[in-house]
Amino acid sequence: MRTVILPAIFSLLAAPCAGETAAPVSSRFRVEGTVLVYDTEVAGEEGEITPDDIEGLRSALRANPAVAKLRLNSAGGSIWAAEDMARIVTDFDLDTEVDGECSSSCVMIFLGGKARTMTRGSRIGLHSRWWAPEDVQNYYERNKADEHWATPFEFGSWIYEDTQAEIYEALSYVVSRGVDPGFAIEMYAPRESMWYPGRAQLEKAGVLRP
């Protein structure tokens, strides 16, 4: 289920002069030749995918038109942000690569890639979506007037419908990216811990593809 993530702070260099490229200043975005590295696990960062990273990705790609691959290392974060970043990855026709870990919402970004690879020793982590109780309560309190939820039970009915729509959209996206439908269903199966499929399983399912 969707949660609200506080934004991390990052900045970009000013737009480059004609014929030049500029690499992002933020430690979670850096350019290495034709590769844009997106690493939310670097020291001093919040460690999660945040809404601010949407503009960070878009700006970095516009400032560095030679970039052809996005290299990922993230344990996840805001699903809203990840979905929008995945759209940007697809729009820029990028390849994606996991170098370290790509788990939870990071997988949505990874699947936006044209070719999708994973360095040896890296891993991809999958789990069902969830919504922390305190976040559910806060969402209800903030939105009950605008949404006209007279009781928590009306809110609960909305959650039921919204969850079905959200999972349908997620499954449709995963399958549209060439992932085996049966594996896509397993991606969202209820689990108590993260699932790290092996390389052979990821290749067979179409998650990894050259």
Side-chain angles (χ1 to χ4, degrees):
M1 187 62 69
R2 293 168 177 162
T3 56
V4 177
I5 306 295
L6 293 175
I9 298 174
F10 67 90
S11 60
L12 296 173
L13 286 172
C17 299
E20 298 179 353
T21 60
V25 171
S26 169
S27 55
R28 55 170 58 191
F29 286 105
R30 68 180 185 273
V31 174
E32 298 178 356
T34 61
V35 176
L36 175 63
V37 178
Y38 174 55
D39 185 355
T40 66
E41 307 304 305
V42 292
E45 292 286 352
E46 187 179 62
E48 291 184 330
I49 296 168
T50 75
D52 280 353
D53 293 337
I54 300 169
E55 186 56 38
L57 175 62
R58 180 165 36 231
S59 297
L61 292 172
R62 287 176 176 173
N64 298 274
V67 166
K69 178 186 290 185
L70 179 66
R71 183 174 294 148
L72 299 161
N73 182 40
S74 176
S78 167
I79 187 63
W80 292 342
E83 289 172 348
D84 214 6
M85 292 171 75
R87 180 189 59 78
I88 293 171
V89 169
T90 302
D91 195 38
F92 276 84
D93 201 29
L94 301 178
D95 295 336
T96 50
E97 177 183 67
V98 177
D99 186 23
E101 179 169 349
C102 182
S103 294
S104 189
S105 60
C106 175
V107 179
M108 302 298 281
I109 302 174
F110 177 70
L111 289 175
K114 181 177 54 177
R116 301 187 292 263
T117 56
M118 181 172 69
T119 60
R120 294 291 175 180
S122 296
R123 61 183 184 173
I124 289 175
L126 306 167
H127 67 81
S128 57
R129 295 189 180 184
W130 63 281
W131 203 358
E134 60 272 20
D135 291 332
V136 173
Q137 181 179 0
N138 291 336
Y139 190 92
Y140 171 69
E141 295 296 339
R142 285 198 314 270
N143 294 281
K144 62 182 179 181
D146 291 340
E147 298 292 340
H148 307 293
W149 294 320
T151 69
F153 302 104
E154 290 187 2
F155 175 53
S157 180
W158 173 85
I159 289 179
Y160 187 76
E161 293 180 4
D162 183 68
T163 299
Q164 293 181 84
E166 192 172 284
I167 296 302
Y168 171 77
E169 291 171 3
L171 287 171
S172 296
Y173 168 72
V174 171
V175 172
S176 76
R177 300 307 298 164
V179 176
D180 175 74
F183 187 89
I185 292 172
E186 288 300 315
M187 288 175 61
Y188 293 98
R191 290 186 177 85
E192 294 184 358
S193 59
M194 194 76 73
W195 174 39
Y196 296 101
R199 180 180 295 273
Q201 193 172 6
L202 292 168
E203 289 174 346
K204 182 178 179 181
V207 175
L208 298 177
R209 65 181 190 184

